[in-house]
Amino acid sequence: MDLCLADNAIYSSRSQLARIMSETWIEQNMYCPRCGNIFLQKQKNNTPVSDFICPNCKNEYELKSRSKFFGSKIVDGSYEKMIEKINTNNNVDFFFMHYSMQTKKILNFIFVPNYFFTPEIIEMRKPLSQSAKRAGWVGCNILFSEIPVQGQISIISNGVITPKSSILKKVENGNLLNFQNVSARGWIFEVLKCVNMLNQKFTLDDLYSFETKLAQKFPYNNTIKAKIRQQLQFLRDKGYIRFLGKGKYEKLFND
């Protein structure tokens, strides 16, 4: 895998140049993190669903690239369409690329499987003004920092490439959290983020300390503690944590 971006495009627009360079890099360097196929194929221009497809497993990917590191949020397209895709389980996987225009190199490259997207991590932006070309259109932000670390699979981190075998293993492990019920998905990921903030060994009371935070996320639920216990059982059954008895648990993963 070559970290250098091809610098032979002739576009005068900086954004067009960055798009061509990042897309070309994917075509020349990136494999499918789902099945391991050695290359990805670029979709036809203006394909509404995705940017790339794996010719082997047919999984689709959307690319978001920027010269600044991924902060707490990343600008995306239509809010309505994004929420609709998530709620109908029709969302694609995402690649997030951070590059340097000065050195023309990839600095960070992260893969996020589609099932880590929930309505809770999509933020509605203000509608465009009446003077805008698309007056009233409402875009969205992806709250990147709200994605559990298990869903942020780092293929390149600070210029260092993670071995392909390690990436495929992480994707395989993450698939344990892939289920269709979007509402349940939101709960498990919120509790998982709370678990990520605790020590390797923790107690049920440690998790109960997040009750107020979870109540703010799910204001219509009046059984927060019961939901916490339910999600812990799910994480235990999936091999993410171990129950030690008497309200004590141990994490079996690296957060």
Side-chain angles (χ1 to χ4, degrees):
M1 182 179 288
D2 186 357
L3 298 184
C4 295
L5 293 166
D7 193 15
N8 55 2
I10 58 176
Y11 290 95
S12 58
S13 166
R14 186 182 180 91
S15 60
Q16 285 183 314
L17 177 62
R19 178 179 60 82
I20 293 298
M21 288 195 302
S22 58
E23 289 180 350
T24 300
W25 184 88
I26 295 286
E27 288 183 284
Q28 295 178 349
N29 292 275
M30 193 55 210
Y31 54 87
C32 176
R34 289 284 195 176
C35 72
N37 193 57
I38 59 174
F39 73 96
L40 296 174
Q41 190 174 55
K42 189 178 182 303
Q43 299 274 49
K44 294 181 180 180
N45 289 337
N46 299 318
T47 299
V49 177
S50 63
D51 299 313
F52 295 92
I53 186 170
C54 173
N56 180 52
C57 68
K58 306 304 179 184
N59 197 68
E60 296 180 279
Y61 301 89
E62 183 173 336
L63 171 65
K64 293 291 180 183
S65 60
R66 56 189 295 179
S67 59
K68 294 182 179 179
F69 188 70
F70 321 114
S72 60
K73 59 182 69 177
I74 296 174
V75 175
D76 198 43
S78 166
Y79 174 80
E80 181 180 2
K81 289 184 178 179
M82 176 58 102
I83 294 297
E84 179 184 359
K85 287 192 293 185
I86 291 174
N87 285 331
T88 57
N89 288 300
N90 194 35
N91 199 23
V92 298
D93 290 340
F94 273 77
F95 288 135
F96 294 97
M97 177 189 291
H98 168 219
Y99 59 85
S100 168
M101 282 300 288
Q102 290 183 328
T103 63
K104 301 296 191 298
K105 286 188 176 181
I106 308 296
L107 301 177
N108 297 281
F109 190 71
I110 297 174
F111 167 58
V112 179
N114 56 8
Y115 51 85
F116 277 94
F117 282 79
T118 65
E120 289 78 22
I121 70 165
I122 305 301
E123 178 183 66
M124 180 188 296
R125 301 206 308 268
K126 293 182 179 180
L128 295 183
S129 66
Q130 293 303 311
S131 60
K133 186 176 182 180
R134 293 188 293 170
W137 182 84
V138 179
C140 71
N141 296 315
I142 298 171
L143 301 180
F144 189 80
S145 60
E146 292 295 309
I147 300 172
V149 293
Q150 289 79 12
Q152 299 180 33
I153 301 175
S154 185
I155 296 173
I156 300 171
S157 179
N158 295 320
V160 178
I161 302 169
T162 303
K164 179 180 177 180
S165 58
S166 178
I167 296 299
L168 296 178
K169 184 63 176 178
K170 287 182 179 181
V171 173
E172 181 183 356
N173 291 340
N175 285 338
L176 295 173
L177 297 172
N178 183 8
F179 51 98
Q180 298 299 307
N181 189 310
V182 176
S183 176
R185 187 191 304 167
W187 259 106
I188 191 64
F189 291 153
E190 289 301 324
V191 172
L192 179 58
K193 285 188 291 184
C194 295
V195 171
N196 287 339
M197 289 186 276
L198 299 175
N199 294 327
Q200 189 70 23
K201 292 185 177 181
F202 63 95
T203 68
L204 184 57
D205 285 339
D206 290 333
L207 265 182
Y208 282 165
S209 68
F210 295 99
E211 182 179 7
T212 300
K213 175 183 177 182
L214 292 170
Q216 292 173 346
K217 286 280 187 178
F218 304 100
Y220 300 108
N221 190 291
N222 297 316
T223 58
I224 302 298
K225 288 184 176 180
K227 290 296 289 187
I228 289 174
R229 295 193 297 272
Q230 181 187 59
Q231 307 317 307
L232 283 176
Q233 182 175 343
F234 178 84
L235 290 174
R236 182 201 66 189
D237 293 344
K238 293 297 184 179
Y240 274 75
I241 61 175
R242 178 189 294 126
F243 179 57
L244 302 177
K246 297 182 179 180
K248 296 180 181 180
Y249 297 85
E250 179 181 19
K251 293 192 280 188
L252 299 177
F253 58 88
N254 293 319
D255 53 358

